Amino acid sequence: MALAWVLLNFTIYPLRARSHSVALNSNSVTNSFSRSDTPSGQPDVDFGGDSRTDQITTAGGRLYFLPPDYTTPNATQNQDFDDVGRPPKRTSGGARGLCSDQLIAIVPGSSEIVEATGNCSNDSNSSLALTLAESPTFWFYVPEQSTRELTVEFVLLNQNQQAVLVKSITLSGTPGIVRVRLNQPLQTDQLYRWQFSVLVNPQNPSGNPTVEGLVKRITADSTLSSKLNAATSPRDRIAIYASHGIWHDAMTALAQLRSQKPEDSRLERDWEDFLGSVGLRAIAVKPLVDCCIAK
């Protein structure tokens, strides 16, 4: 099946630490981030009347990802993937060292990825990521490699564990955050599992750094659609996506907005807060790079 890989060339400016002010309450955010990422206890704002905090772009507001409400019909708890027998992992693991030495899937996960300790050997499991997009964008941090070019492989599996897409990409070798967008539509309310591998050892696939995750395309209900239609700015839309657990759409829109306004300090803080809220603050300083050529 055809796959189009659309990549942007971004410039990332160093992120600056800032004290936190207003945000979601402490029960609204995953427990995977450090205390410095914990939002304050100031009141939330719910403009839609559905008890989901969304318009968090008020003065001093902070942008955090709020995991999906798995009690709603549109969301699905991290369920077994036809008894695959193991949870998907968002870090390649396998060796002790800095997190910047490992392949990382930029999705919500089970634990914080800490750069400062110098020990990133423990696996962090991926959580289910939702999207409204027919063909969502996937994001990965690819560490520095010993060669100028290398090949990676992206595989998409349906719930029957059948590969519906297999694609190879050539990377430039520049370390950083890369994005890969499908042109193959995902079926709504179907769970997919994906795998992303760096083919350092094509003869021994089990030795290749690999990350995995789950993605599900959902349909916006009337309340969410109304909120998105009423949004007055791109940042408002990002906040609505983030507060309703729509990971891929929020992540992609925020990255695109940052590329358009690389010197906007508020967006710089949003990026750091957003990644930090899912335990990925350690890679928030990494550049977004134009790296890939589809084969």
Side-chain angles (χ1 to χ4, degrees), residues 75-153:
T76 304
Q77 185 61 276
N78 276 7
Q79 54 191 286
D80 291 336
F81 195 77
D82 278 10
D83 300 321
V84 73
R86 55 181 170 74
K89 56 182 182 176
R90 66 172 178 173
T91 55
S92 56
R96 294 185 177 273
L98 296 175
C99 290
S100 57
D101 295 332
Q102 299 207 27
L103 179 67
I104 299 173
I106 304 179
V107 292
S110 61
S111 58
E112 183 181 11
I113 296 175
V114 181
E115 176 84 9
T117 64
N119 181 4
C120 199
S121 60
N122 294 328
D123 288 344
S124 176
N125 294 333
S126 299
S127 299
L128 170 64
L130 302 181
T131 182
L132 299 176
E134 184 178 65
S135 302
T137 298
F138 296 83
W139 297 83
F140 307 95
Y141 169 70
V142 180
E144 186 171 5
Q145 304 295 321
S146 58
T147 58
R148 296 184 62 181
E149 287 190 354
L150 71 158
T151 301
V152 299
E153 184 178 74

Side-chain angles (χ1 to χ4, degrees), residues 51-266:
S51 300
R52 300 287 292 185
T53 306
D54 40 51
Q55 300 282 4
I56 52 175
T57 58
T58 55
R62 310 303 288 258
L63 181 62
Y64 292 92
F65 179 73
L66 180 63
D69 179 359
Y70 292 114
T71 64
T72 62
N74 268 341
T76 304
Q77 185 61 276
N78 276 7
Q79 54 191 286
D80 291 336
F81 195 77
D82 278 10
D83 300 321
V84 73
R86 55 181 170 74
K89 56 182 182 176
R90 66 172 178 173
T91 55
S92 56
R96 294 185 177 273
L98 296 175
C99 290
S100 57
D101 295 332
Q102 299 207 27
L103 179 67
I104 299 173
I106 304 179
V107 292
S110 61
S111 58
E112 183 181 11
I113 296 175
V114 181
E115 176 84 9
T117 64
N119 181 4
C120 199
S121 60
N122 294 328
D123 288 344
S124 176
N125 294 333
S126 299
S127 299
L128 170 64
L130 302 181
T131 182
L132 299 176
E134 184 178 65
S135 302
T137 298
F138 296 83
W139 297 83
F140 307 95
Y141 169 70
V142 180
E144 186 171 5
Q145 304 295 321
S146 58
T147 58
R148 296 184 62 181
E149 287 190 354
L150 71 158
T151 301
V152 299
E153 184 178 74
F154 184 92
V155 179
L156 186 68
L157 306 170
N158 62 21
Q159 281 190 259
N160 296 322
Q161 300 186 49
Q162 297 172 328
V164 296
L165 184 148
V166 179
K167 196 69 177 182
S168 296
I169 312 168
T170 298
L171 304 185
S172 68
T174 303
I177 295 172
V178 304
R179 82 177 202 162
V180 179
R181 189 175 67 192
L182 307 184
N183 72 339
Q184 168 163 332
L186 300 183
Q187 306 239 352
T188 56
D189 298 321
Q190 297 295 312
L191 191 66
Y192 294 85
R193 187 180 185 116
W194 52 261
Q195 300 171 340
F196 185 80
S197 303
V198 179
L199 305 183
V200 296
N201 190 351
Q203 304 305 317
N204 180 23
S206 63
N208 292 324
T210 300
V211 290
E212 305 165 294
L214 300 173
V215 61
K216 183 180 182 183
R217 179 187 170 199
I218 65 171
T219 303
D221 59 23
S222 58
T223 300
L224 177 54
S225 295
S226 296
K227 289 181 178 182
L228 291 170
N229 291 334
T232 58
S233 72
R235 191 168 181 263
D236 284 346
R237 290 181 65 86
I238 293 167
I240 294 168
Y241 287 138
S243 65
H244 283 258
I246 313 298
W247 172 262
H248 287 283
D249 308 61
M251 172 70 187
T252 299
L254 180 58
Q256 290 175 335
L257 193 59
R258 282 216 66 204
S259 71
Q260 296 166 7
K261 302 179 179 179
E263 298 185 37
D264 188 320
S265 61
R266 184 177 65 170

